[in-house]
Amino acid sequence: MPNSNAKLHSNHRGGREASRRELVSRSLQSAQHCLENQDFGTAYAHYLLVLNLAPELKTTVKETFQFTLFKWAEELDSLARIQDLFNCYEQALELYPNDEVICNSMGEHLFRMGFRDEAAGYFHKAVKLNPDFADAKENFYRVANWLVERWHFIMLNDAKRNLTYLRAIENAVHSGSKSVLDIGTGTGILSMFAKKAGASSVYACELSKTMYELARDVVAANNMEREIKLLHLKSLDIEIPKHIPERVSLVVTETVDAGLFGEGIVESLIHAWEHLLLQPK
């Protein structure tokens, strides 16, 4: 009897596998037929079914799936079905989370719709996945030009200004301010000044996704990714101990251009003084 039960179970399993293969085969045929008739939405649905039933085919159908996704996304875009478009890309990225071509295409749609910070994130991911991907690099630089204000480049190249910041931070750290919070870190230059000056703990927050990713790259390139904690947060949203474990003894910021009040830096500094800074005894 046990052998009989095992045989029945094996036959049942074999029957299910045969049914799966049959369904996958028919769905692939249907997808191809839909593509020939330019019915991209139905073809996309068939490919989703195939990839969920037979993930082992991901490599085989990858290029055709990408083509189908992009064509269907163009139709959805023209019909202003924006949420459906985003849903399709989310489904595609669940199946191919490390596909630079899909990431880049998602970024292009976001950029055209005005979501430039979000687009930069996808372009940046595409470049990280494939540093030789020319389209993604061009897209990332293009969106960065929109997001990174020109005054930021001027500040970075102002040697006298940077030296003044460096000396001021060194004086503060050497005077006992060993924990530092950098508000609006940008490229992370002030955080690195603080760490090089000898601060034991350095935290940096940046609201812009693009600048946050850039700061991560710059800090990593200087071998400080384990020594500086970067937060993709507005300083007003920082909580102790949720985001940083302690009140800091020094707050630094370089957000002192003409947009001082518009960027809410005054409110940020007040918040830092009341909630994040160690109070004098």
Side-chain angles (χ1 to χ4, degrees), residues 62 66 97-104 122-141:
K62 180 178 177 180
Q66 288 175 342
N98 295 317
D99 188 289
E100 70 273 19
V101 178
I102 295 177
C103 287
N104 183 64
Y122 281 97
F123 294 145
H124 183 263
K125 182 178 179 180
V127 173
K128 295 286 278 188
L129 289 167
N130 182 2
D132 297 323
F133 189 6
D135 287 350
K137 287 197 291 187
E138 182 180 343
N139 284 331
F140 181 70
Y141 295 143

Side-chain angles (χ1 to χ4, degrees), residues 214-234:
L214 181 60
R216 288 181 60 185
D217 287 347
V218 172
V219 168
N222 285 273
N223 299 313
M224 292 187 180
E225 65 269 31
R226 295 184 179 180
E227 301 178 60
I228 297 173
K229 183 175 182 179
L230 288 165
L231 302 166
H232 181 215
L233 280 175
K234 191 175 182 179

Side-chain angles (χ1 to χ4, degrees), residues 34-54:
C34 290
L35 285 178
E36 291 170 358
N37 290 287
Q38 298 189 352
D39 183 359
F40 300 114
T42 306
Y44 175 76
H46 280 297
Y47 278 119
L48 280 184
L49 178 61
V50 167
L51 290 168
N52 279 287
L53 287 175

Side-chain angles (χ1 to χ4, degrees), residues 4-5 9 22-23 48 51 100 157 169 190 221 223 245:
S4 177
N5 287 338
H9 183 69
E22 177 66 19
L23 181 55
L48 280 184
L51 290 168
E100 70 273 19
N157 288 287
I169 291 171
L190 299 189
N223 299 313

